[in-house]
Amino acid sequence: MKTRVERRLAAILAADVAGYNRLMGGDEEGTLAALKGYRRELIDPKIAEHRGRIVKTTGDGALVEFASAVDAVRCGMEIQRAMAERNADIPEDRRIEFRLGINVGDIIIDEGDIYGDGVNIAARIEALASPGAICLSDNAYQQIKGKLALDVTEMGEQQLKNIVQPVRT
Amino acid sequence: MKTRVERRLAAILAADVAGYNRLMGGDEEGTLAALKGYRRELIDPKIAEHRGRIVKTTGDGALVEFASAVDAVRCGMEIQRAMAERNADIPEDRRIEFRLGINVGDIIIDEGDIYGDGVNIAARIEALASPGAICLSDNAYQQIKGKLALDVTEMGEQQLKNIVQPVRT
């Protein structure tokens, strides 16, 4: 029997820190400590609460897989809302703000890592998100509309087709 | 902690027999025996091979859940191809032909059963499929295009939006 690749439908959340190089240039140790604190106190617990799985982390980025698009978007919204509250008391040039991108794709799973268009698109739409906001692919938006209360701005055909971006909460 | 509904992204395949009432009117016991044989020898093994889960069966219908849209469409194509081969030697008025509908949705799982728009849409597009063919929702098509070799006919906005229908193989 030939080996068949394992596939599954998943919501993929890609995240990074807006202006990471600038923040690190200004205060390397402070930025790392703040990021670590956010992760421990806010982000990792939120991901666990919404049954997400952290596939990998890079310096300022992360790739998270969820079984449900509704769970992924809910998780992203709660993280962005909590970050906005924390940032309200911090000078603008020292704020850590995340950009999040969420896509739904039929991805390939191999030894715990994930591959495919579905993953690449999540990373590409994340780069389009404003700091503090979430950028959804049309595939993700189709799976959550009517199921979550969102303010959404259509971004139209912006290199990628059919991107919608919920406005900052 | 409040109970949260369990959701997951899934490919839902809905199936029924075209002209079931006519077939049953002509030969009740023969039709049932033939259906049972197809299920045992062809359909159930194909579903298992592609890691599908039969959620429920009705008289002539079935609802099957797959983790991957690619697996679901591959399974549907293999079943339709095998049925076409079997039917080639059977008089037209006695052929059992399936209509299949496949949708991708963020569905709700409760005690093994599945609920939500994603399930309803699969059933509605199945009714649009020609006998021996598969009707895909746009959500399903987006997840398989470029991943499978298909002949696809766009059906356009036909009550449901964005339906595509692979032609009979």
Side-chain angles (χ1 to χ4, degrees), chain A residues 4 6-11 49-51 67-71 74 104-106 139 142-143 145 147 161, chain B residues 4 6-11 49-51 67-71 74 104-106 139 142-143 147 161:
Chain A
R4 175 171 297 180
E6 189 191 342
R7 289 191 165 274
R8 66 172 165 247
L9 287 155
E49 183 187 333
H50 294 279
R51 303 179 302 132
S68 150
V70 171
D71 288 347
R74 222 178 242 150
V104 163
D106 204 272
N139 280 341
Q142 295 302 325
Q143 296 300 344
K145 70 177 177 185
K147 302 191 177 91
K161 279 195 307 185
Chain B
R4 174 173 299 180
E6 190 190 342
R7 285 191 167 275
R8 66 171 165 249
L9 287 156
E49 182 188 333
H50 294 279
R51 302 180 302 131
S68 150
V70 172
D71 288 346
R74 222 177 243 149
V104 163
D106 203 272
N139 280 340
Q142 294 303 323
Q143 296 301 342
K147 303 190 176 92
K161 279 195 305 186

Side-chain angles (χ1 to χ4, degrees), chain B residues 57-123:
Chain B
T57 55
T58 55
D60 66 327
L63 198 62
V64 188
E65 182 198 351
F66 293 82
S68 150
V70 172
D71 288 346
V73 174
R74 222 177 243 149
C75 180
M77 287 170 69
E78 290 177 12
I79 288 173
Q80 294 295 47
R81 199 174 293 139
M83 287 300 296
E85 283 168 17
R86 282 166 168 73
N87 276 328
D89 302 326
I90 298 176
E92 205 168 324
D93 64 330
R94 290 181 48 206
R95 286 181 192 164
I96 292 180
E97 293 182 301
F98 297 110
R99 292 184 298 196
L100 303 184
I102 299 176
N103 181 41
V104 163
D106 203 272
I107 58 172
I108 295 168
I109 300 98
D110 189 44
E111 296 182 359
D113 208 345
I114 60 177
Y115 304 90
D117 276 5
V119 181
N120 304 339
I121 291 171

Side-chain angles (χ1 to χ4, degrees), chain A residues 35-50:
Chain A
L35 256 181
K36 221 169 150 179
Y38 289 141
R39 220 185 129 177
R40 189 180 53 236
E41 291 158 26
L42 171 66
I43 298 166
D44 289 4
K46 278 286 170 209
I47 290 170
E49 183 187 333
H50 294 279

